[in-house]
Amino acid sequence: GGDAAALYITDGKGELTDTILFPNLKNRDWEDLTYDSLGNIYIGDFGNNLNQRTDLQIYIFNKHSNAVDSITFQYSDQTDFPPVAAKKNYDMEAFFWHDNQLHLFSKNKIGHGNYYCKHYSLSDQPGAQTAILKDSIYLKNRVVTAAAISPDAKTVALLAYDYKKLLGIFPFSRASIFYFTKFQGHHFLKGNMRKRRAPSFIVATQFESLDFLNNRKLYVASEQTLFIKPKAKRVKVRP
């Protein structure tokens, strides 16, 4: 949030090859990217740490025509901005496109929330919308920061992590990837769930994004912190 409204293109090894600037857009809190089968890239400007935003947006950029459009939305179950502390579950960092819909997964509050992740859906068409609450799931000591669906649409992955200070001094983080399979329709969270450890880093980090390279491999990435540079690691999707 607050940085340039831009997309950065790399060569797959982390080297920057191009930058696409959007002078008419604002980066309030861009959190995640997804794409559809028509060349549209969806940019989620829905980071909402304080749970009080009323200007949530998803920008739609077509890489073939360079056209830009947007979806503005609100949550179907939010009536207070912000809600009381116990109900602050409207921060968002994870979504993916599937079957003409955008599927969003909320980030609960580390150490303060109830560790439920909520699944909302939106149409992929521009305009004003209400994000419909579809389902929720309890993930013990984990908050969701990324989501992806495999190319064959048979596996959904959620990246989730926890952060705390051991003895009140030493930063410590741990993360997991939750895989969902054999779901019906868009009821991803009702499928079979498997939990796997995310790749480890030497020091505490923020696990912020993941995506499928193919049906059997993922990239998992960490955000830059005071101690380490941002990194991405490959992960095998093990049965």
Side-chain angles (χ1 to χ4, degrees), residues 65-78:
S65 67
N66 290 326
V68 178
D69 215 325
S70 68
I71 298 167
T72 58
F73 70 97
Q74 59 186 358
Y75 298 110
S76 59
D77 59 335
Q78 184 174 12

Side-chain angles (χ1 to χ4, degrees), residues 86-138:
K87 295 184 179 180
K88 284 187 175 180
N89 196 3
Y90 299 100
D91 193 12
M92 194 69 59
E93 294 191 5
F95 79 141
F96 60 76
W97 178 92
H98 174 63
D99 196 20
N100 300 318
Q101 290 189 13
L102 297 167
H103 299 276
L104 288 66
F105 299 86
S106 70
K107 179 185 178 184
N108 211 290
K109 290 291 183 183
I110 292 179
H112 300 285
N114 57 14
Y115 291 102
Y116 270 86
C117 172
K118 297 194 289 186
H119 169 207
Y120 296 88
S121 67
L122 290 164
S123 164
D124 63 4
Q125 297 302 302
Q129 298 188 43
T130 297
I132 304 302
L133 179 61
K134 304 283 289 186
D135 206 348
S136 65
I137 192 169
Y138 172 69

